[in-house]
Amino acid sequence: MKAVIIGATGATGKEVLKELLADKRITAVVALVRREIEDIHPKLTVVKINFDKMQDYETHLHGDLAFSCLGTTLKDAGSKEAQWVVDHDYQLHFAALCKSQEVRHFVLLSAVGSDKDSMFFYSRMKGTLEDNICALNFPQLTIIQPGMIIRPDTTRKMEKVTGKILDGLNKMGLFNQYRSITTKQLAKEIVKAGFVANNSGIRRLAVHDLFNSAI
């Protein structure tokens, strides 16, 4: 099977790429990136692209599975408008091109609380993206909605503190709908979900599903 991935240089995307390359069921992986990556593997083809001209690279998107792990923070983007371009527009364009290249199963990394009608910008952005990708009518679409994502090597002090607080609350049975997950754990579940047959077309995996080994 051939897999295509966007967002392979991000915290979670890096781990997804590792899982794909290690999986014997995957014979080839195409990673669309904005900057060079050092990964060298006989199954891997790295395509450096201009995301504003993604259509120029459409022929690289033909495959069996596609994984969209692209995303940025408001701080890194600089504005809500710029974040919307990365988190919504680029991913939707990627999905549309994958559909045109007859990708059968599209896997989207979204977030807990995604809702196009949310009063919160981030949740509204993610919910709008989900709805727009659903409208593309992939034969199979899996939407992953994790809670807080923990990067083991993060240097962000607030992220470390928040993660520890949330873990403590979870142990007391509180806020389990936001249960944190490491990038490595999440990547394993994302790739695992890509191989699950889904006759209903659209499948959403919420926080509790990501800790259920039966998926």
Side-chain angles (χ1 to χ4, degrees):
M1 298 181 74
K2 180 181 177 182
V4 181
I5 180 172
I6 194 172
T9 60
T12 302
K14 286 179 182 178
E15 298 296 336
V16 172
L17 180 59
K18 290 178 184 177
E19 290 292 325
L20 290 172
L21 293 175
D23 197 305
K24 294 181 179 179
R25 293 168 292 185
I26 298 294
T27 56
V29 180
V30 175
L32 273 63
V33 299
R34 284 182 288 188
R35 61 179 184 272
E36 297 290 349
I37 58 177
E38 297 178 356
D39 299 71
I40 299 176
H41 193 283
K43 293 196 293 189
L44 177 63
T45 299
V46 178
V47 182
K48 189 177 179 181
I49 72 169
N50 179 342
F51 280 2
D52 292 314
K53 298 180 179 180
M54 205 180 301
Q55 66 278 1
D56 294 346
Y57 310 89
E58 182 174 2
T59 56
H60 292 285
L61 303 183
H62 185 75
D64 303 290
L65 298 169
F67 296 85
S68 189
C69 303
L70 193 62
T72 187
T73 63
L74 182 58
K75 181 179 179 181
D76 289 342
S79 68
K80 289 182 178 180
E81 292 77 14
Q83 187 179 17
W84 188 279
V85 169
V86 175
D87 277 52
H88 177 276
D89 297 351
Y90 286 164
Q91 292 196 92
L92 179 58
H93 194 186
F94 173 66
L97 293 174
C98 285
K99 179 66 188 301
S100 72
Q101 289 296 308
E102 301 182 339
V103 169
R104 291 195 54 79
H105 192 173
F106 192 89
V107 183
L108 172 67
L109 175 58
S110 187
V112 65
S114 300
D115 184 346
K116 68 179 179 60
D117 297 317
S118 175
M119 63 181 291
F120 301 106
F121 170 77
Y122 187 79
S123 297
R124 185 167 67 252
M125 176 177 64
K126 291 297 186 181
T128 301
L129 175 63
E130 288 185 15
D131 285 1
N132 287 337
I133 291 183
C134 285
L136 294 174
N137 294 316
F138 279 95
Q140 282 192 242
L141 170 62
T142 299
I143 298 172
I144 312 288
Q145 299 173 319
M148 184 176 182
I149 301 174
I150 302 296
R151 300 177 299 165
D153 59 348
T154 183
T155 58
R156 296 176 182 175
K157 188 176 296 184
M158 184 56 69
E159 187 174 311
K160 290 181 178 180
V161 172
T162 303
K164 289 181 180 179
I165 292 174
L166 186 57
D167 282 343
L169 292 171
N170 291 160
K171 289 176 181 178
M172 292 187 289
L174 302 173
F175 299 104
N176 285 327
Q177 69 271 34
Y178 300 103
R179 184 177 175 183
S180 62
I181 187 169
T182 66
T183 51
K184 188 171 184 178
Q185 289 174 309
L186 178 56
K188 288 181 180 295
E189 297 306 319
I190 289 173
V191 174
K192 187 189 300 183
F195 290 100
V196 175
N198 174 23
N199 296 325
S200 62
I202 299 171
R203 182 170 181 250
R204 284 182 167 84
L205 297 181
V207 173
H208 66 275
D209 297 310
L210 299 176
F211 293 91
N212 178 359
S213 60
I215 71 167

